[in-house]
Amino acid sequence: MATLRGFSPDDDTPVFVISVAAELAGMHAQTLRQYDRIGLVSPSRTRGGGRRYSARDVALLREVQRLSQEEGVSLAGIQRILELENQVAALRARVAELAEELDRTRQLAGSPAGSRVFAVGPSGDIIALRAGQRPRPNRSQALVVWKPSF
């Protein structure tokens, strides 16, 4: 998209009014209103309450239309699919976040990026160790009395 006085919208910037978004998605504006009412595709709102759609919203509208018309999925099914896709995206972001944290931890510990060493600790939990290190043995002070039964 063209820059307007230093403003360059991204895929999440709400720039399209409902009539333009409907045309871009190949739908009727009333369909977009219905999707908004049921929470399928919820655009941003202006202070006056007008709907503003982003490029990502328009792409989502096209995907809803494809699932509905080409795949025969009901609106409830589409809503569930979208919820699961959002959940997967959030989980992928969390995995990436944890991987970065693990890399930082490895760098601080001085272990190489590809090495992972795990062991079972004294209480049965999994613990991370440096390469070549062994877990401390659980030296129990428990006394076991055995009586044979004759």
Side-chain angles (χ1 to χ4, degrees), residues 32-102:
L32 273 65
R33 288 184 186 94
Q34 178 64 23
Y35 289 172
D36 187 15
R37 272 194 293 279
I38 64 175
L40 201 56
V41 179
S42 299
S44 297
R45 298 284 184 152
T46 63
R47 287 182 186 165
R51 294 173 175 88
R52 291 293 184 271
Y53 291 83
S54 67
R56 191 175 312 277
D57 292 332
V58 171
L60 185 57
L61 288 166
R62 287 180 183 153
E63 180 64 8
V64 168
Q65 185 178 39
R66 186 192 69 76
L67 288 169
S68 176
Q69 293 178 354
E70 294 176 19
E71 305 294 332
V73 181
S74 69
L75 292 180
I78 292 170
Q79 192 162 24
R80 184 68 179 136
I81 289 169
L82 296 178
E83 288 169 0
L84 291 171
E85 285 179 349
N86 289 337
Q87 189 176 17
V88 167
L91 289 171
R92 284 185 175 147
R94 181 67 177 140
V95 166
E97 193 179 289
L98 291 171
E100 287 176 13
E101 184 179 335
L102 182 61

Side-chain angles (χ1 to χ4, degrees), residues 120-122 134-140:
V120 177
R134 293 182 180 260
R136 290 187 212 154
N138 187 7
R139 300 191 192 277
S140 173

Side-chain angles (χ1 to χ4, degrees), residues 1-20:
M1 287 188 182
T3 302
L4 179 65
R5 287 191 231 156
F7 175 72
S8 179
D10 61 7
D11 287 346
D12 294 317
T13 304
V15 291
F16 304 114
V17 294
I18 192 166
S19 59
V20 174

